[in-house]
């Protein structure tokens, strides 16, 4: 079979014109034979190395993709944990603010109550002082009224009225007048 194909190739080569689009069957045949030989040696020597490296690279890429997916999953978990921690921190801060506000309101109420009690105590003391001064003024007024009454009576009677009995008489009269009014 190769001999008739070879004869056909040689005959076609002699009768063919040499144009740019002409097919040289001998050249095609030798190119196919060389390519087959090259493919045979290439598959025996380099093909195993190339396929093993491609397989290794594929495995490395698959491992990197797996690692990236694991890292992505871990990052998502950490993000969720971080968001939870932020939410907990905000809640804790709000709780602390509420406690501080409640404590300040309690302190304010206590300070107001203390101030109110101090004002009441001051007012009571002022009322006692006023009452004491009023009583003192009344005593002084009574003494002067007695002295005036005795002086007026002495002028009317014409003698001096200084005795304790006279003084007692006027004081009893003033006490009697105070109880009727």
């Amino acid at each position: 079979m190769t001999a008739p194909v070879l004869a056909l190739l040689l005959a076609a080569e002699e009768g063919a014109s040499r144009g740019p689009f002409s097919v040289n069957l001998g050249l095609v045949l030798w190119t196919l034979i060389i390519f087959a030989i090259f493919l045979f040696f290439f598959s025996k020597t380099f093909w195993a190395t190339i396929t093993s490296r491609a397989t290794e690279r594929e495995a490395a890429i698959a491992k990197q993709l797996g690692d990236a997916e694991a890292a992505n999953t871990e990052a998502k978990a950490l993000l969720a944990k971080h968001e939870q921690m932020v939410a907990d921190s905000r809640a804790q801060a709000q709780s602390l603010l509420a406690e501080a506000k409640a404590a300040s309101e309690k302190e304010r109420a206590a300070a107001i109550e203390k101030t109110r009690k101090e004002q009441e105590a001051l007012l009571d003391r002022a009322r006692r002082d006023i009452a004491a001064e009023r009583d003192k003024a009344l005593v002084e007024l009574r003494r002067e009224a007695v002295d005036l009454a005795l002086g007026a009576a002495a002028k009317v009677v014409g003698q001096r009225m200084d005795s304790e009995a006279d003084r007692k008489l006027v004081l009893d009269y003033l006490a009697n007048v105070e109880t009727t009014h």
Side-chain angles (χ1 to χ4, degrees):
M1 180 156 148
T2 57
V5 174
L6 193 55
L8 182 63
L9 286 175
L10 288 175
E13 188 178 301
E14 290 175 6
S17 63
R18 301 244 189 254
F21 297 108
S22 66
V23 177
N24 187 347
L25 290 179
L27 185 60
V28 170
L29 180 66
W30 283 109
T31 303
L32 287 175
I33 292 171
I34 291 173
F35 180 74
I37 294 170
F38 172 75
L39 192 58
F40 176 76
F41 284 117
F42 183 76
S43 67
K44 294 295 180 190
T45 56
F46 299 113
W47 187 253
T49 305
I50 290 173
T51 55
S52 68
R53 294 241 173 119
T55 305
E56 288 173 5
R57 181 159 172 81
E58 185 178 322
I61 290 172
K63 183 182 178 297
Q64 288 174 350
L65 286 175
D67 291 346
E69 186 65 33
N72 189 19
T73 304
E74 183 179 348
K76 285 180 182 177
L78 287 174
L79 179 63
K81 183 178 178 182
H82 175 70
E83 288 173 352
Q84 181 63 35
M85 289 173 62
V86 167
D88 290 346
S89 296
R90 283 187 182 150
Q92 189 176 15
Q94 290 295 329
S95 173
L96 288 175
L97 284 174
E99 288 176 12
K101 187 175 182 180
S104 69
E105 286 295 324
K106 186 177 178 182
E107 285 295 319
R108 184 176 151 265
I112 288 173
E113 183 64 25
K114 181 181 176 186
T115 303
R116 187 185 60 76
K117 286 181 180 179
E118 288 175 356
Q119 286 176 344
E120 287 178 3
L122 190 62
L123 189 60
D124 286 343
R125 190 172 66 218
R127 285 180 183 155
R128 284 193 308 266
D129 289 347
I130 289 171
E133 287 296 320
R134 185 191 67 216
D135 291 345
K136 196 191 241 183
L138 284 175
V139 167
E140 183 67 26
L141 186 62
R142 260 192 215 147
R143 191 181 55 77
E144 285 184 26
V146 167
D147 288 342
L148 282 174
L150 286 176
K155 287 219 178 218
V156 170
V157 173
Q159 349 174 286
R160 189 159 183 189
M161 298 180 86
D162 237 357
S163 74
E164 274 304 309
D166 294 336
R167 206 174 270 289
K168 183 170 181 346
L169 180 67
V170 171
L171 285 173
D172 287 341
Y173 176 73
L174 285 176
N176 189 18
V177 169
E178 279 182 9
T179 56
T180 57
H181 291 314

